[in-house]
Amino acid sequence: MRIVPFLLATVLTLALIFGLDRKWGSIPPLGRFLSPQQGFWQNAEPAGETYSETLHFPQLKGKATVYLDDRLVPHVFAENEADVYFIQGYLHAKFRLWQMEFQTFAGAGRLSEKLGNDPRILRYDREQRRLGMVYAAENTARVMESDTASRPYFDAYTAGVNAYIHSLTKSSLPVEYKLLDYQPEDWSNFKIALFLKVMSKDLAGYERDLEFTNAKSVFSLADLKDLYPEIADSTVPIVPAGTPFDAPGIVPVKPASADSLYFGNDTTLQVREINKPERTNGSNNWAVSGSRTASGAPILCNDPHLTLSLPSIWFEMQLTTPTMNAYGATFPGSPSVIIGFNDQVAFGFTNAMRDVKDYYAIRFRDASKREYWYNGAWQPTTIKIEEIKINGAPTLHDTVAYTAFGPVMYDESFTNDVTGTKAIAVRWVAHDPSNEGAMWFRLNRAKDYNDCREAIRGFVCPGQNMLFASKSGDIAIWQQGRFPARWDGQGLFVMPGEDSSYAWQGFIPEDENPHVVNPAQGFIQSANQRPVDASYPYFIPGNYIVPRGITIQSRLSGLQAVTPQQMMGLQNSYDNSLAADAVPLLLRTIDRAELDAKAKGFLRELETWNFHADPDSRAMTIYQAWLDSLERSVWDDEFARIREPQVRPDEQTLVELLLRDSASRFIDNINTPAVETLRGIITSAFTNAARGLAVEEGTNGLSWWKHKQATIMHLLRNSLMPFAREGIRAGGAGATPNAITKTHGPSWRMVVQLTSTTEAYGIYPGGQSGNPGSRFYDNFIDDWAAGKYYRLWVMKASESNDQRVLGTIHFSNN
């Protein structure tokens, strides 16, 4: 009978071995994950880790040394130009590999392959494929690899990433690989291109064509101009108003059928982008001439606003070679310093917010999608069968047709509403062959404004406001990108696609892009506003943002003897110019007699408010609740008639509309027999808001930061909340220069004074390491939220014994 216990023990042991070595749903193989030798324990970084080592790679052409400082910033000194990018790739992978690869999986529509059979993720993957993300990256990769000047640098970066990947063992894999149970792939130049397309989608993939098409079915064209104005009343453009422009180099012609087939067409659509880019993906940048600074040297400032995540989108570095000494924020996944400075110039970017993506209604011949009607004949499509692998489920095959415009994004197989042979194709500038990454190789080595101007030529997408300052005294900005030359109204709505008459007729000549060089006012600023006034000779639709530019322009106009500390204060400003316009209107219009005692108490707080969105401000919470309630009161009735997708006017438009026309027809509720007045809806909106505020007050005291709940999520979002940072004590709002919202905000703050010895400051909300088990994972966040900065150390090789050096990595080829 002794054999029975033995057999039972054997069976149980085998069952445990089998069970612990297998993935169960979202649970990783627990045997490996919990293993002391190779599991997650190995990702707990020793408190005294210095990262010092000596490495040999035959791909290197010379020697190099990396000094890691006490914030884990690598200072790379390389004898050879290509070697610096090999080492950058190696270090990016060492500290951020999972992030780099995951972002390219997302860009390529491959998340289901790693995350499993989730209908939401699968639809996301299909949408990425149908938008043509891989198609766009392939076009860019071909240009990258045909460019003899830049390809050696891309190749070196890719080789460095792969050198690190090939050094990994199971125990040293980043923890996310262990949690999700997969291994990293080799890196490639294509993945660099794909990462750049991910940024193009985030920054130049937002448009409102589908939403405007639905709105046009209910509102007149005159209404649409009020609801979505091309130029806001209070816009302060980047190019000073009144600047003369040359006659246009290209004059697009409106099709004869536009009034009937385009503007007069009231067709509605029910298609929705699953992963529509964040509308507020903007930024601030400005440069102050030496004539207005205390030092007599220019100061350049930049704080790009993006969705905040852990690991952070940025990685701080110094790259030094015989021809370059560049410092700043880099993208893990791409070579070069992206926002930063060198020994002679500084450079920064904000989003242009221009619309460079249009939709066309096309008609297939039949369900095969192999032909579509175009220019009076059935034309062949190019068919691409997308193979979408799904972890734990059969592979999905999706047929995507490519037309003269681009890929068909929505058709009968991928939408709620487009049926039969109808379909919608997308034309996007990011699909065009380009080599954006090469720009930074030149920019990192620029010595003056002319070098910077030449460096940015040919940059296609995403359109950016590229700001420069130099030690020779110049300040300049160019809105750089390839922008379609449009006839008035072109691309606001889905366009007819059965012939070429609605296709883009060309692009605005690059030298006619908005720009400013050494302006008389002594400073330049951009904050995602429309770049020019109404005299600019082109129709340039976009998703422009107004309030931050007003605040920055006002503040800079009043400053002389400017210092870096004042510029840090402006980057951290909680001044809300929109509230300063809105609150006086609300206070003078409300009927106080209709308020109860509690509501009157809230109102008194607004009467004494300084319009700052400080972390502890109760008035900011009260104001936002009132404005939200007012928006619902004004828009709910009209917009209930519009099918999804829809987009409502922004807060700036509402406030300007009510200031301009206190009897606007939108004030009246079309669903009631009475005619509502401005006084009535402002009062009822506040009464409704006050009821909610009274309840909320008992939970958080109405402190703005507690109301807002700013959170920096891990890239896996809700799946890994222990790796996120919740409840960050930060003020700010979308309308303030320090534009911190719930999940969005300044992703890198930088202030550079170009004195003979450069004086620079910076910080971002994260940490240098992508490892949640490292002390460098999120150690910058508290200082960032408090508005603090680090002095950026532009290290010299002779300072190798400086106490700030944490560790040293020696690289050689033997």
Side-chain angles (χ1 to χ4, degrees):
M1 295 298 292
R2 286 179 292 180
I3 193 65
V4 174
F6 172 77
L7 290 174
L8 285 173
T10 301
V11 169
L12 287 172
T13 301
L14 291 172
L16 282 171
I17 292 171
F18 175 78
L20 294 176
D21 198 46
R22 182 178 177 185
K23 187 173 182 179
W24 297 89
S26 61
I27 300 173
L30 291 176
R32 278 176 277 157
F33 187 69
L34 299 175
S35 165
Q37 287 75 34
Q38 61 183 14
F40 79 97
W41 312 97
Q42 294 294 318
N43 298 102
E45 191 174 274
E49 178 67 62
T50 67
Y51 307 95
S52 294
E53 56 185 327
T54 298
L55 300 170
H56 306 283
F57 297 104
Q59 300 97 321
L60 294 172
K61 298 177 176 61
K63 294 180 180 179
T65 304
V66 177
Y67 301 98
L68 294 159
D69 70 23
D70 52 8
R71 291 192 297 113
L72 202 62
V73 175
H75 303 262
V76 184
F77 294 86
E79 297 174 343
N80 179 271
E81 301 297 317
D83 285 354
V84 81
Y85 299 113
F86 178 98
I87 293 165
Q88 185 181 26
Y90 183 92
L91 294 173
H92 277 170
K94 180 179 178 67
F95 294 110
R96 300 290 190 84
L97 176 62
W98 179 83
Q99 168 195 1
M100 292 165 58
E101 188 172 55
F102 184 79
Q103 289 174 152
T104 61
F105 285 154
R110 294 181 56 193
L111 292 183
S112 297
E113 183 179 328
K114 306 303 177 186
L115 302 182
N117 190 14
D118 183 320
R120 296 166 301 174
I121 296 173
L122 180 58
R123 182 172 167 83
Y124 170 88
D125 284 345
R126 292 185 68 192
E127 183 175 87
Q128 294 292 87
R129 308 287 184 106
R130 286 170 163 268
L131 177 58
M133 292 289 286
V134 168
Y135 166 71
E138 288 171 342
N139 288 339
T140 288
R142 280 193 289 272
V143 179
M144 288 166 52
E145 299 204 336
S146 66
D147 181 0
T148 56
S150 64
R151 178 169 180 174
Y153 298 159
F154 289 122
D155 286 346
Y157 180 87
T158 290
V161 176
N162 285 329
Y164 180 74
I165 290 173
H166 297 159
S167 74
L168 285 170
T169 63
K170 289 182 179 180
S171 65
S172 60
L173 281 172
V175 68
E176 292 90 348
Y177 286 109
K178 297 175 183 179
L179 279 166
L180 297 172
D181 192 31
Y182 69 93
Q183 302 285 322
E185 301 174 348
D186 276 2
W187 196 255
S188 65
N189 289 350
F190 165 75
K191 288 193 174 184
I192 298 174
L194 188 55
F195 172 78
L196 294 174
K197 295 306 172 185
V198 169
M199 295 310 301
S200 289
K201 182 183 176 184
D202 280 351
L203 300 175
Y206 184 91
E207 36 58 40
R208 297 174 284 184
D209 304 21
L210 303 175
E211 294 86 350
F212 285 177
T213 298
N214 285 345
K216 182 163 59 74
S217 70
V218 171
F219 296 120
S220 69
L221 293 178
D223 286 339
L224 291 173
K225 288 184 178 180
D226 284 338
L227 297 172
Y228 312 103
E230 184 181 345
I231 306 178
D233 295 347
S234 52
T235 292
V236 178
I238 297 169
V239 178
T243 299
F245 298 102
D246 293 335
I250 178 173
V251 180
V253 178
K254 184 175 76 171
S257 62
D259 289 338
S260 57
L261 295 184
Y262 178 60
F263 292 116
N265 188 336
D266 64 357
T267 300
T268 63
L269 301 163
Q270 194 168 354
V271 297
R272 179 191 291 274
E273 288 183 80
I274 292 297
N275 185 241
K276 198 171 184 72
E278 171 65 48
R279 181 179 183 272
T280 53
N281 272 344
S283 305
N284 305 319
N285 68 15
W286 62 86
V288 182
S289 169
S291 64
R292 295 180 72 109
T293 67
S295 67
I299 298 176
L300 182 143
C301 309
N302 195 189
D303 54 305
H305 304 162
L306 297 167
T307 299
L308 304 180
S309 62
L310 288 170
S312 171
I313 191 172
W314 300 109
F315 183 79
E316 196 176 327
M317 293 190 80
Q318 178 182 352
L319 304 177
T320 304
T321 72
T323 68
M324 171 183 70
N325 184 26
Y327 190 112
T330 71
F331 279 143
S334 183
S336 301
V337 169
I338 305 300
I339 295 176
F341 56 94
N342 62 28
D343 289 336
Q344 299 298 326
V345 303
F347 43 91
F349 302 83
T350 65
N351 203 17
M353 314 303 280
R354 298 272 287 273
D355 181 3
V356 293
K357 186 169 74 170
D358 286 344
Y359 294 96
Y360 292 85
I362 68 155
R363 175 164 54 98
F364 289 125
R365 185 168 192 171
D366 53 40
S368 73
K369 310 181 190 179
R370 296 193 175 277
E371 293 180 294
Y372 69 111
W373 187 256
Y374 188 68
N375 285 338
W378 292 109
Q379 303 289 343
T381 61
T382 299
I383 293 293
K384 184 175 183 180
I385 306 298
E386 295 285 357
E387 183 179 82
I388 303 176
K389 297 178 181 178
I390 306 170
N391 190 358
T395 296
L396 174 75
H397 294 91
D398 195 11
T399 302
V400 181
Y402 282 71
T403 68
F405 303 108
V408 171
M409 194 162 178
Y410 302 106
D411 57 27
E412 188 174 35
S413 68
F414 189 69
T415 181
N416 299 331
D417 199 39
V418 179
T419 58
T421 58
K422 295 187 295 183
I424 298 174
V426 60
R427 173 70 175 100
W428 187 27
V429 167
H431 288 152
D432 297 350
S434 58
N435 187 4
E436 283 79 13
M439 178 191 75
W440 279 284
F441 297 138
R442 300 187 293 268
L443 198 55
N444 285 188
R445 293 170 171 81
K447 293 181 172 55
D448 53 28
Y449 163 69
N450 290 329
D451 285 352
C452 292
R453 176 70 190 106
E454 289 305 310
I456 69 174
R457 287 189 184 277
F459 186 95
V460 172
C461 187
Q464 296 287 290
N465 301 308
M466 301 185 175
L467 180 72
F468 314 105
S470 70
K471 290 190 176 180
S472 56
D474 292 318
I475 60 172
I477 195 168
W478 277 83
Q479 187 163 94
Q480 181 62 27
R482 183 179 295 162
F483 302 113
R486 304 172 182 271
W487 38 267
D488 191 21
Q490 184 181 15
L492 291 179
F493 318 110
V494 175
M495 291 187 283
E498 295 199 359
D499 60 42
S500 57
S501 60
Y502 288 84
W504 295 343
Q505 298 172 27
F507 296 91
I508 297 173
E510 186 172 307
D511 287 340
E512 295 179 37
N513 283 342
H515 60 278
V516 181
V517 181
N518 295 325
Q521 66 182 4
F523 65 87
I524 301 166
Q525 62 89 11
S526 79
N528 314 119
Q529 69 269 57
R530 181 182 156 97
V532 288
D533 63 19
S535 66
Y536 188 63
Y538 293 100
F539 173 62
I540 54 169
N543 174 42
Y544 305 120
I545 299 172
V546 175
R548 287 182 282 105
I550 295 172
T551 302
I552 295 167
Q553 179 78 19
S554 175
R555 185 76 67 85
L556 292 176
S557 296
L559 290 176
Q560 294 288 343
V562 172
T563 65
Q565 288 68 33
Q566 289 175 314
M567 298 297 89
M568 294 180 218
L570 181 50
Q571 284 186 335
N572 281 281
S573 170
Y574 292 141
D575 289 359
N576 191 329
S577 69
L578 179 59
D581 289 338
V583 171
L585 166 68
L586 300 174
L587 291 177
R588 68 174 176 260
T589 307
I590 193 170
D591 185 352
R592 287 168 170 77
E594 295 292 319
L595 306 182
D596 62 21
K598 190 68 175 177
K600 287 179 179 177
F602 291 143
L603 196 67
R604 283 193 293 272
E605 294 189 63
L606 282 181
E607 289 173 334
T608 59
W609 185 33
N610 61 3
F611 310 123
H612 291 180
D614 298 315
D616 293 318
S617 174
R618 286 168 49 94
M620 178 64 202
T621 305
I622 296 166
Y623 157 74
Q624 192 63 58
W626 191 359
L627 189 61
D628 291 345
S629 179
L630 181 61
E631 286 188 295
R632 291 190 293 271
S633 297
V634 173
W635 304 129
D636 276 1
D637 53 332
E638 279 90 1
F639 279 82
R641 299 180 294 160
I642 300 173
R643 298 180 68 175
E644 294 287 351
Q646 61 173 244
V647 59
R648 298 193 176 195
D650 59 25
E651 294 175 346
Q652 184 81 28
T653 298
L654 174 63
V655 172
E656 291 187 355
L657 178 69
L658 299 182
L659 285 168
R660 186 172 62 248
D661 184 4
S662 62
S664 167
R665 77 171 189 83
F666 296 109
I667 293 170
D668 179 46
N669 187 335
I670 62 176
N671 298 321
T672 66
V675 178
E676 282 74 19
T677 65
L678 181 60
R679 184 179 180 86
I681 66 164
I682 283 178
T683 303
S684 65
F686 188 73
T687 300
N688 292 334
R691 283 195 291 267
L693 289 166
V695 174
E696 183 181 348
E697 187 177 29
T699 62
N700 62 23
L702 298 184
S703 293
W704 177 238
W705 76 271
K706 293 180 180 177
H707 172 85
K708 182 174 61 173
Q709 283 293 302
T711 300
I712 304 178
M713 303 288 285
H714 186 272
L715 282 173
L716 286 175
R717 314 300 293 171
N718 294 332
S719 301
L720 277 182
M721 288 307 296
F723 294 169
R725 282 286 298 271
E726 298 182 84
I728 296 168
R729 190 182 182 280
T736 66
N738 191 2
I740 302 173
T741 62
K742 182 174 178 60
T743 59
H744 199 265
S747 62
W748 161 250
R749 295 190 187 115
M750 181 184 77
V751 174
V752 182
Q753 179 165 251
L754 291 161
T755 41
S756 56
T757 298
T758 303
E759 181 182 349
Y761 305 85
I763 193 169
Y764 66 84
Q768 289 285 91
S769 176
N771 177 13
S774 169
R775 67 191 189 277
F776 296 107
Y777 176 65
D778 59 358
N779 56 311
F780 300 162
I781 291 177
D782 291 339
D783 286 342
W784 170 85
K788 297 179 181 179
Y789 290 74
Y790 304 124
R791 179 71 182 261
L792 304 184
W793 180 28
V794 184
M795 183 184 175
K796 299 176 182 176
S798 59
E799 297 177 297
S800 60
N801 293 321
D802 190 285
Q803 63 182 4
R804 288 169 288 186
V805 174
L806 173 70
T808 305
I809 307 176
H810 298 283
F811 287 83
S812 69
N813 58 5
N814 54 45

